Amino acid sequence: MEIGLKFEELSNMIIEGKHLDAESSTKYLLEMGIDPKNILDEALMKGMGIVGQRFRDQQIFVPQVLISARAMKFSMKALEPYLVGDNALSKGKVLLGTVKGDVHDIGKNLVAIMLQGSGYEVIDIGTGCSAEKFYDEYLKHKTDIVGMSALLTTTMVYMKTVIEFFKEKNVMVPIIIGGAPLNQRFADEIGADGFGRNSYDAVKLVDKILNIN
Amino acid sequence: MLTINELLSKGILLFDGAMGTSIQKFNLPDVDPPELINLNHPDKLKEIHLKYIEAGSNIIETNTFGGSRLRLNLSELGDKVKEINTAAVRIAKEAAKGKAYVAGSVGPLGVLIEPYGELSSEEAFNTYKEQIEILLEAGVDLILIETMISLDEALIALNAAKEAGSKITGVTLTFDSGALGLRTSFGESPSDAILKLKESGADFVGSNCGHGLTDILLAAEEMKKVCDLPILIQPNAGLPEFIDGNIVYNESPEMFMKFTQRAISLGVNFIGGCCGTTDLHIKAANSVLRKSS
C-alpha cells in the first residue's frame, strides 16, 4: 500500500468527520512504524487545513467544522503518546479565552483545535474571563500570544479593557482578537495586535506574529 | 388571551430597541450577567422600558435573554431562574401598564447540543420549557425566541414554547453575509429557516442582531419571497466602534427612518431594534410609521 494514499485516506476522514475511522487509521499507521510527525503533517493537518479553507470560503459551516475537529481530536489522542522528545510539538504557546460577560466558545474552541493541530500549545482559560483572569493566567503560563474571543456586540467592547489592563501592567505580549461581529478596524481602534476573521486566519496570524512560516 | 390575528389587525407594530447596550450605559457594577438588574436595580430596568414605551413601542421585551437555567448556571445563578424571570415580567408589565404588550425574551442556551456538543436535545428542550413556562405564568403576552444561530436549536426552543402553552411564538435568527448570501453560523439561509419554522408552528419569524440595517432587510426580503408568515426584524445600529474612547454605534436614528420606510415597503409586520439602538431609533421608526398609516 502506498503511504501517500494512506495519508490521503486519513485526511479525507478528518474532512468528513469520521472520528472512529480516523482514530483507527491513525493507530494503524503508527503500528506500521510511520513517523508520527508525518502522520500529523501529511494527513491530519492537511485535512484540517482544507476544512479551515472551506469554512473561510463559506463552503461549509460550523457543524461540519465541529465534526472534523472531533475526528482530529480522536486522531491526536492516538498520536499524542508518540509526539514526545524530538517529535514534541512546540511552535509556541497561546493563551485563549472568551471575554467577560460572554459565554460563547464555539469560535474559540475551533481556534484552539486549529492551533493545536498546527503545533502550538494552547492554554484555554474558558469563557467569561475578566482582564485580571487573562493577566493572571498569562503570568502563570508566560504564553507567546494572548487571544480573546467574543460573539456579542455587548461584550466585544470589553476587549479594550483587557488590552488596557495589560498595558497598565507594562506587559507587551501580542494580543489578538476574533469573533463574528469583529473586524480589522475594531482591532485597530482598541489597539489589538491582530484580528482573525476565522480559525484558519487565526493560525496564519499567529504564525505571522511569531515569524513562523 | 391575545392571538396573532389580533396583533396583526393593529397594523405594523413596533417592538423596543436594545436592552443589553442600554443596561451597559448605566455602568452598574452588580449586573453581570445583565439579568441581575431584574433583582438588583428594578427601577433602572423599568426606566429602560418606560423610555421605549414613550418612544412608541407597542411591544416591549423582558430582560430574560440569558435567563434559562443553563445560561444562568454559568454565573452560578441557575437556582434563581424563577426569581429572575418572574421579576423581569413583573417590571415590564408595571412599565407597560396595559399600554404595550410584553414579549418574553428567550435567547440561545450558549451550549452546543448533540451531536456537536454534550447537551442532549431533551435537556435543551426541558431547559427552554422551564424558562418559557415561568414567563407565561408570570403573564407575558407572547414568547420571542431570538438571536438563534442554529435552526435546530431554534426548533427545539419553538417546540418547547408550544408544549409550555405559548399561544403566540416568534423566532428570530442572526445571519451573516458571505459568498453564499446570508447564512446562520450553522449554515441555514433565511428562506430555509422560515419554511422549517412555519412547518413547526411559529406564528412569526424574522431576523435580529447581525451587522446592521442593510443585511437584515435582505433577510426579510428573502423570507417574504418564500413564505407568508408575519415577519419581525430587529437590526443592530451597525457594529460598535471606539471613537475618542467612547463606544459608538454608527447607524443613526435618521438612518433608522430610511430603514423603516424600506421595511414597510417590503411588507414587514413588526419592527424593532437590537444592540446599539436606543429610544431615539424607536422614536424615529414611530414617526415614519405614523406618517405611513
Side-chain angles (χ1 to χ4, degrees), chain A residues 19-47:
Chain A
H19 60 287
L20 297 177
D21 290 351
E23 184 185 23
S24 56
S25 168
T26 306
K27 283 183 178 159
Y28 172 79
L29 290 170
L30 286 168
E31 278 160 20
M32 282 185 31
I34 308 293
D35 182 351
K37 277 207 97 159
N38 278 347
I39 301 175
L40 180 69
D41 292 340
E42 299 302 318
L44 305 187
M45 278 317 294
K46 224 177 197 166

Side-chain angles (χ1 to χ4, degrees), chain A residues 121-201:
Chain A
E121 191 184 334
V122 173
I123 315 289
D124 186 339
I125 59 170
T127 62
C129 304
S130 64
E132 291 82 359
K133 170 133 191 190
F134 273 104
Y135 181 69
D136 291 346
E137 295 286 341
Y138 166 75
L139 286 189
K140 201 154 103 197
H141 299 283
K142 289 284 178 208
T143 57
D144 302 295
I145 288 196
V146 172
M148 293 189 279
S149 170
L151 182 72
L152 305 176
T153 69
T154 49
T155 54
M156 61 191 265
V157 293
Y158 187 75
M159 291 175 163
K160 191 178 179 186
T161 311
V162 180
I163 289 173
E164 273 165 8
F165 193 84
F166 273 74
K167 261 193 207 145
E168 273 168 34
K169 302 278 180 189
N170 274 320
V171 173
M172 285 302 149
V173 62
I175 301 182
I176 62 173
I177 62 171
L182 277 58
N183 54 35
Q184 184 63 51
R185 196 169 51 170
F186 179 78
D188 295 341
E189 278 167 4
I190 65 169
D193 297 290
F195 159 74
R197 175 84 225 124
N198 50 55
S199 48
Y200 181 79
D201 287 353

Side-chain angles (χ1 to χ4, degrees), chain B residues 10 53 57-58 60 92-102 141:
Chain B
K10 296 174 192 296
I53 293 166
S57 295
N58 309 108
I60 59 169
K93 286 180 69 126
E94 275 172 22
K97 280 196 217 126
K99 284 189 287 185
Y101 298 113
V102 173
D141 300 299

Side-chain angles (χ1 to χ4, degrees), chain B:
Chain B
M1 191 172 271
L2 187 68
T3 64
I4 184 72
N5 287 334
E6 200 180 329
L7 268 186
L8 293 172
S9 72
K10 296 174 192 296
I12 300 173
L13 293 181
L14 255 187
F15 273 71
D16 52 9
M19 177 58 76
T21 48
S22 303
I23 293 176
Q24 269 181 341
K25 280 188 201 154
F26 288 127
N27 236 335
L28 301 165
D30 53 351
V31 294
D32 181 22
E35 285 70 26
L36 271 182
I37 198 174
N38 306 357
L39 305 181
N40 295 346
H41 302 275
D43 49 327
K44 296 277 184 201
L45 176 60
K46 195 168 170 185
E47 195 180 317
I48 296 172
H49 287 316
L50 286 172
K51 269 193 173 174
Y52 284 129
I53 293 166
E54 201 177 308
S57 295
N58 309 108
I59 305 173
I60 59 169
E61 286 189 47
T62 56
N63 182 40
T64 51
F65 179 79
S68 65
R69 179 182 292 271
L70 276 178
R71 189 91 175 238
L72 291 172
N73 265 346
L74 296 169
S75 319
E76 282 151 30
L77 290 168
D79 56 341
K80 295 206 162 166
V81 59
K82 183 152 191 181
E83 207 180 328
I84 284 173
N85 283 280
T86 305
V89 179
R90 191 195 67 238
I91 296 158
K93 286 180 69 126
E94 275 172 22
K97 280 196 217 126
K99 284 189 287 185
Y101 298 113
V102 173
S105 165
V106 177
L109 301 180
V111 188
L112 282 170
I113 299 169
E114 62 180 4
Y116 309 113
E118 307 284 305
L119 185 68
S120 72
S121 304
E122 195 189 345
E123 203 183 335
F125 176 88
N126 290 335
T127 306
Y128 277 119
K129 192 169 160 231
E130 178 189 34
Q131 186 192 4
I132 294 168
E133 275 172 348
I134 297 168
L135 292 169
L136 290 170
E137 197 187 305
V140 296
D141 300 299
L142 61 148
I143 293 291
L144 178 57
I145 295 157
E146 54 180 355
T147 329
M148 289 285 150
I149 58 169
S150 150
L151 182 56
D152 283 342
E153 183 170 348
L155 290 166
I156 290 172
L158 173 60
N159 290 333
K162 298 243 141 195
E163 178 106 351
S166 171
K167 296 287 175 246
I168 307 177
T169 312
V171 182
T172 55
L173 301 109
T174 301
F175 299 99
D176 200 350
S177 66
L180 299 174
L182 295 168
R183 290 288 187 277
T184 63
S185 297
F186 277 63
E188 296 104 2
S189 68
S191 46
D192 281 354
I194 194 169
L195 290 172
K196 293 228 170 71
L197 288 163
K198 184 185 180 182
E199 211 178 279
S200 293
D203 297 292
F204 63 96
V205 170
S207 180
N208 74 325
C209 213
H211 286 220
L213 306 178
T214 313
D215 276 1
I216 216 148
L217 288 166
L218 292 174
E221 195 175 7
E222 187 180 324
M223 287 181 171
K224 269 277 159 197
K225 268 187 199 153
V226 297
C227 188
D228 57 0
L229 266 192
I231 286 183
L232 161 67
I233 47 177
Q234 294 170 299
N236 286 355
L239 289 174
E241 290 175 39
F242 278 100
I243 294 174
D244 300 331
N246 296 313
I247 304 161
V248 177
Y249 286 79
N250 264 331
E251 296 183 334
S252 61
E254 290 72 35
M255 290 161 83
F256 212 79
M257 287 176 92
K258 285 210 181 99
F259 156 81
T260 305
Q261 279 157 354
R262 289 196 50 202
I264 294 169
S265 59
L266 280 174
V268 166
N269 308 77
F270 306 110
I271 297 168
C274 200
C275 308
T277 56
T278 64
D279 56 318
L280 296 177
H281 290 83
I282 298 306
K283 211 170 170 177
N286 192 32
S287 73
V288 175
L289 281 176
R290 266 185 304 179
K291 255 185 251 161
S292 76
S293 64

